[in-house]
């Protein structure tokens, strides 16, 4: 038959009125459901035929814009809700990660169709929107990268190709550096090249040793400083990292040179960012957080400082050096986790007898004066994360060692590599009593006394969360000697503990 009438896609959203209705009816007070509904529409669009490419792009664009506030809310819930169950945490992670994967796939489909059929009317119409489509594609895949890091998972070659190849295509098409406002209401301009560089800097900044909320802060700090990084096709005298955008491999420090020079190699360095980062660190050390620093919320200086210091290490011209050399070993350790189990382990042989039966078994692969590198084959407990307090008993050893998980990288859903900082090889469980009468009714506070690596006249004690009070001195008795601890500062807060720093006075 002659095509006498304009055809419409065989899909509900092919009708502009239905698209408008679908957006209006998204639940405003249920972000999970709103994102899930749009995700369902995206899945159906993957199979839809008959859309002119510019119309398909417009449907995807409008749906994507409609749920951005919901995605931000889900991200906040994931990072900030203190009592998320593991099922709810996994549910939030999955919807956000899968959303970004689905929308990036649709933007890629639109770009590829326009490239394959440049003479079609829809392709001509879409041409002016290609910089925005490609920038959103890169941003979506960079978001996937961040969500993988929230769970310390492996970054596959597909994701790196999904970042590098669209960037290279945008370069060839001539719009890689064209500035766009990525979403309505979002401050500032960005581009395909900037989104790609953001992902490269993010991966180069060793997120495996930060907690999820710190990973998000680091990503926002990267966005703040990123325009000042130097990104080039040529290896410049101050270049620090390189990447082959077509290879599917992550960026690498120039301590290892590329095997061969290719047209798809890119080089980058922090340029003068370390100086600006140091200046910001000094401001935050005074307790101030600049108002123009967009962190996605209000954070105390004490939370921001460790992230700034971490980034300073990985943005330095010289890579961070290990404080202690590592030595390869192969031995098993029994592992208990959390403050309560660790307190019991250091309370004596009788107290820990029952706990030892529940200990996990890990394989230590290297040791140094500062700690251990271990391999974990069973992640079923799901408690393992950066900042977890653990105590370890080496096979054939005589004493337990107290430590904190500082690095965590999952190779698969069942296997991970863990870096552990040793806090003490001679810790002791003690009972502390506040010296103020107002606290006397609360009874003793359990503590784990770190008996080495302290300055003269000072002590460090691991406490349950919320126990440290800078106004309250503590007393305890150990080996028939009385000790008085005057608070100096809260040194660290972990997932199930905090470390108090005190001046120590031993009674005569």
């Amino acid at each position: 038959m002659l095509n006498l009438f304009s055809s419409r896609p065989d899909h509900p959203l092919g009708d502009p009125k239905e698209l408008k209705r679908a957006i209006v009816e998204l639940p405003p007070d249920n972000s999970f459901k709103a994102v899930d509904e749009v995700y369902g529409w995206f899945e159906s669009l993957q199979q839809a035929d008959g859309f002119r490419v510019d119309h398909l792009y417009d449907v995807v664009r409008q749906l994507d814009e409609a749920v951005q506030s919901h995605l931000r809310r889900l991200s906040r819930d994931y990072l900030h809700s203190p009592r998320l169950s593991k099922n709810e945490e996994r549910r939030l992670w999955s919807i956000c990660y899968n959303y970004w994967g689905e929308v990036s796939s649709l933007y890629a489909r639109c770009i590829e169709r326009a490239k394959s059929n440049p003479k079609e009317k829809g392709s001509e119409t879409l041409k002016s929107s290609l910089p925005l489509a490609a920038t959103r594609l890169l941003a979506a895949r960079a978001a996937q990268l961040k969500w993988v890091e929230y769970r310390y998972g492996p970054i596959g070659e597909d994701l790196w190709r999904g970042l590098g190849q669209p960037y290279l295509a945008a370069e060839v098409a001539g719009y890689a550096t064209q500035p766009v406002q990525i979403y309505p209401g979002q401050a500032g301009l960005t581009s395909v090249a900037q989104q790609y560089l953001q992902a490269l800097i993010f991966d180069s900044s060793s997120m495996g040793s930060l907690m999820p909320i710190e990973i998000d802060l680091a990503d926002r700090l990267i966005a703040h400083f990123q325009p000042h990084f130097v990104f080039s096709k040529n290896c410049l005298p101050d270049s620090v990292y390189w990447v082959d955008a077509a290879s599917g491999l992550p960026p690498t420090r120039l301590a290892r040179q590329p095997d061969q020079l290719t047209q798809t190699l890119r080089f980058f360095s922090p340029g003068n960012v370390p100086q600006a980062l140091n200046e910001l660190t000094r401001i935050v050390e005074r307790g101030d957080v600049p108002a123009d620093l967009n962190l996605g919320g209000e954070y105390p200086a004490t939370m921001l400082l460790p992230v700034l210091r971490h980034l300073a290490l990985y943005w330095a011209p010289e890579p961070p050096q290990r404080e202690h050399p590592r030595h390869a070993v192969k031995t098993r350790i029994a592992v208990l986790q959390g403050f309560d189990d660790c307190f019991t382990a250091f309370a004596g042989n009788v107290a820990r007898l029952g706990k030892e039966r529940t200990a996990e078994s890990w394989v230590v692969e290297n040791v140094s004066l500062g700690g251990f590198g271990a391999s974990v084959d069973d992640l079923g407990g799901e408690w393992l994360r950066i900042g977890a307090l653990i105590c370890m008993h080496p096979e054939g050893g005589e004493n337990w060692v107290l430590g904190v998980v500082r690095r965590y990288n999952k190779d698969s859903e069942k296997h991970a590599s863990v870096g552990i900082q040793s806090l003490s090889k001679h810790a002791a469980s003690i009972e502390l009593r506040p010296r103020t009468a107002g606290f006397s009714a609360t009874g003793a506070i359990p503590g784990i006394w770190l008996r080495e690596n302290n300055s003269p006249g000072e002590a460090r004690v691991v406490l349950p969360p919320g126990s440290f009070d800078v106004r309250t001195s503590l007393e305890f008795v150990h080996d028939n000697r009385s000790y008085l601890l005057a608070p100096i500062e809260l040194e660290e807060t972990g997932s199930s503990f905090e470390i108090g720093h005190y001046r120590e006075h031993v009674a005569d």
Side-chain angles (χ1 to χ4, degrees):
M1 293 181 62
L2 294 175
N3 186 14
L4 300 177
F5 304 98
S6 61
S7 60
R8 181 173 287 170
D10 186 19
H11 189 281
L13 300 187
D15 182 346
K17 292 181 180 178
E18 285 299 309
L19 172 61
K20 184 177 180 180
R21 185 179 66 81
I23 292 173
V24 168
E25 291 181 355
L26 291 174
D29 55 351
N30 189 331
S31 291
F32 187 95
K33 187 176 180 182
V35 175
D36 193 45
E37 284 185 15
V38 171
Y39 178 76
W41 283 121
F42 284 166
E43 284 188 310
S44 67
L45 288 169
Q46 295 282 13
Q47 311 301 322
D49 294 321
F51 273 99
R52 211 171 77 174
V53 65
D54 57 327
H55 293 166
L56 176 62
Y57 166 74
D58 198 52
V59 170
V60 175
R61 177 189 62 80
Q62 291 188 58
L63 288 171
D64 186 24
E65 291 172 0
V67 291
Q68 286 305 304
S69 63
H70 294 290
L71 285 161
R72 289 192 293 271
R73 192 173 303 150
L74 293 182
S75 179
R76 287 195 299 270
D77 289 346
Y78 182 87
L79 293 170
H80 294 282
S81 298
R83 296 182 180 177
L84 278 181
S85 68
K86 286 299 177 183
N87 286 339
E88 182 64 15
E89 183 180 312
R90 192 181 298 110
R91 181 170 171 261
L92 288 174
W93 186 92
S94 296
I95 190 65
C96 292
Y97 175 81
N98 291 334
Y99 174 88
W100 291 117
E102 202 73 18
V103 75
S104 69
S105 176
L106 283 167
Y107 282 130
R109 180 181 172 191
C110 293
I111 294 168
E112 184 57 35
R113 278 186 58 184
K115 179 182 175 182
S116 301
N117 302 286
K119 300 298 184 182
E120 287 187 1
K121 185 177 181 181
S123 299
E124 287 287 339
T125 306
L126 183 60
K127 191 174 181 179
S128 63
S129 298
L130 287 176
L132 177 59
T135 303
R136 287 194 182 181
L137 162 60
L138 267 290
R141 289 181 174 160
Q144 278 196 298
L145 184 71
K146 182 162 70 169
W147 280 92
V148 172
E149 286 289 6
Y150 283 159
R151 298 188 71 189
Y152 309 103
I155 310 298
E157 290 188 8
D158 287 348
L159 185 50
W160 281 116
R161 287 195 188 94
L163 286 158
Q165 291 178 355
Y167 157 72
L168 292 173
E171 257 199 353
V172 171
Y175 54 74
T177 59
Q178 182 171 327
V180 297
Q181 182 185 34
I182 191 167
Y183 287 104
Q186 189 162 321
L189 301 177
T190 184
S191 67
V192 173
Q194 284 181 298
Q195 289 298 317
Y196 184 50
L197 179 57
Q198 175 92 9
L200 297 177
I201 301 168
F202 181 87
D203 185 78
S204 304
S205 300
S206 189
M207 298 299 168
S209 51
L210 296 175
M211 292 183 286
I213 184 62
E214 293 176 323
I215 292 173
D216 184 61
L217 284 172
D219 188 51
R220 293 177 182 277
L221 288 165
I222 291 167
H224 178 78
F225 287 110
Q226 186 247 62
H228 304 289
F229 274 72
V230 178
F231 187 51
S232 172
K233 293 182 180 181
N234 303 311
C235 184
L236 304 176
D238 63 344
S239 294
V240 179
Y241 293 93
W242 63 271
V243 67
D244 186 341
S247 71
L249 296 176
T252 304
R253 267 200 180 257
L254 271 167
R256 183 172 79 79
Q257 298 286 330
D259 293 334
Q260 56 183 350
L261 295 179
T262 67
Q263 293 298 312
T264 53
L265 281 177
R266 298 294 180 270
F267 301 85
F268 63 101
S269 74
N272 62 359
V273 171
Q275 292 85 351
L277 182 64
N278 288 338
E279 178 58 31
L280 176 59
T281 302
R282 284 194 291 270
I283 293 171
V284 176
E285 283 175 340
R286 297 197 297 264
D288 300 322
V289 177
D292 64 340
L293 190 61
N294 179 15
L295 300 177
E298 294 186 5
Y299 294 91
T302 52
M303 183 175 289
L304 188 57
L305 267 178
V307 182
L308 291 168
R309 290 166 179 162
H310 172 89
L311 293 177
L313 284 176
Y314 290 91
W315 294 355
E318 295 295 326
Q321 301 296 317
R322 293 191 176 275
E323 187 176 354
H324 306 291
R326 294 188 297 179
H327 304 283
V329 297
K330 281 288 184 183
T331 186
R332 286 199 170 270
I333 53 172
V335 178
L336 294 171
Q337 63 89 15
F339 179 85
D340 291 344
D341 283 4
C342 292
F343 179 84
T344 302
F346 292 105
N349 294 331
V350 176
R352 67 169 171 254
L353 187 59
K355 292 292 184 183
E356 290 178 344
R357 299 191 184 98
T358 65
E360 295 188 13
S361 179
W362 296 0
V363 176
V364 173
E365 297 186 328
N366 58 76
V367 297
S368 72
L369 289 176
F372 305 85
S375 174
V376 186
D377 288 323
D378 183 5
L379 303 178
E382 295 191 340
W383 59 265
L384 185 56
R385 61 186 63 202
I386 301 295
L389 185 72
I390 62 175
C391 57
M392 304 155 284
H393 186 257
E395 194 173 64
E398 296 181 357
N399 61 305
W400 286 75
V401 178
L402 188 67
V404 176
V405 175
R406 297 300 191 195
R407 177 180 52 79
Y408 178 36
N409 296 104
K410 283 168 50 175
D411 305 319
S412 69
E413 287 302 311
K414 289 293 184 182
H415 182 267
S417 298
V418 179
I420 305 151
Q421 178 192 1
S422 174
L423 293 180
S424 178
K425 297 178 182 178
H426 305 285
S429 293
I430 54 177
E431 290 190 349
L432 300 144
R433 295 191 177 275
R435 244 206 159 177
T436 32
F439 280 86
S440 59
T442 63
I445 300 171
I448 305 173
W449 183 21
L450 306 179
R451 302 170 68 184
E452 64 257 61
N453 301 322
N454 297 311
S455 299
E458 297 182 1
R460 290 152 61 238
V461 181
V462 182
L463 300 163
S467 299
F468 181 85
D469 188 336
V470 73
R471 301 163 299 178
T472 304
S473 296
L474 301 171
E475 297 175 309
F476 71 96
V477 176
H478 184 76
D479 287 344
N480 298 318
R481 302 186 77 182
S482 297
Y483 296 80
L484 174 64
L485 303 179
I488 299 175
E489 63 177 349
L490 181 61
E491 183 176 290
E492 178 177 353
T493 299
S495 57
S496 66
F497 71 98
E498 56 192 32
I499 299 178
H501 185 196
Y502 298 86
R503 290 187 180 86
E504 178 185 271
H505 175 72
V506 184
D508 295 333

